[in-house]
Amino acid sequence: MLITFEGIDGAGKSTQIRKLQKLLAGKKCEPIVLREPGGTEIAEKIRHILLESRHDISPVGELLLFSASRAELVQQVILPAIAEGKTVILDRFFDSTTAYQGYGRGLDAEMLQSIIRLSTFSLRPDVTFYLDISPEDALLRKFSEKSLPLAFDENELDRMERSGSDFYRRVREGYRRIIEKEKNRFVVLDALDDPEKLHKAIVASLGERFPAFSAIGKS
Ligand code: TYD
């Protein structure tokens, strides 16, 4: 089973993933938790190039690097885990590519879909939790978490985060369109809701969708 989380930077995915991981620990569906980009030695190196680098990377180069990292993670870690019947929770998957490289950077949708098929070996999530937040609120949250003054310092941002608020508005709109096309796969949540309320909604929705989760959270 593959559960993915999506949303723009600062939506609070990691908090929700941590809560879910804690709840499922020691249970039959105890998950393997992974994030993209990263998760294998090579994929972590690619992550470093993508996020920490001070160099400009072209949109196509960026797409191929994210995709290379994904292919490593899917083939080496995710597919074997799923074949063993394990639950995998993944912080970002190909919807991030459609939203960020497609809608954000403006790369061609059809070309993107073929590269996604190639890099995922056609693997698709069973359910995707999307945490919706405006770029403005996401930035506010990021800086308040770090207790930084709101006069923001570009050096605190990674390479993607330095793409600016218009970019993030396009990414958010991209997610909206992706969800529109695949309503059944997505569970859309308001990222500004209380984290505990969000956690309960996530657990409830897993219980409704999958028998393996129906008893979880009730005990
Ligand atoms: P990360 O620090 O993991 O951010 P977050 O906590 O927001 O998930 O950084 C991942 C960044 O890479 C994030 O800005 C989204 C971006 N990204 C893409 O642009 N395309 C992709 O395919 C993936 C997986 C991530």
Side-chain angles (χ1 to χ4, degrees), residues 7-10 13-14 35-37 47 51 62 66 70 91-93 96-97 100-101 158 160-161 168:
I8 63 172
D9 312 57
K13 292 179 283 99
S14 355
R35 65 160 185 205
E36 276 206 359
R47 177 183 177 88
L51 300 182
E62 182 179 282
F66 278 115
R70 176 166 304 138
D91 186 346
R92 299 193 179 280
F93 196 30
S96 288
T97 303
Y100 282 75
Q101 280 64 55
D158 68 34
M160 293 304 294
E161 289 166 336
Y168 278 100

Side-chain angles (χ1 to χ4, degrees), residues 119-184:
S119 61
T120 58
F121 302 82
S122 298
L123 175 69
R124 300 185 70 80
D126 295 284
V127 61
T128 300
F129 293 101
Y130 172 68
L131 291 163
D132 186 46
I133 191 167
S134 72
E136 293 75 19
D137 284 332
L139 205 60
L140 276 174
R141 180 182 271 184
K142 185 179 166 77
F143 279 82
S144 64
E145 269 169 11
K146 291 195 176 182
S147 310
L148 291 167
L150 276 176
F152 88 40
D153 177 1
E154 278 252 318
N155 293 320
E156 286 295 329
L157 304 177
D158 68 34
R159 196 188 60 82
M160 293 304 294
E161 289 166 336
R162 291 196 295 273
S163 302
S165 52
D166 282 349
F167 173 77
Y168 278 100
R169 268 190 281 280
R170 289 196 299 276
V171 172
R172 188 191 194 196
E173 173 60 16
Y175 273 121
R176 203 186 59 73
R177 295 203 200 171
I178 295 168
I179 293 164
E180 196 58 37
K181 285 187 202 146
E182 254 189 287
K183 287 203 180 104
N184 288 339

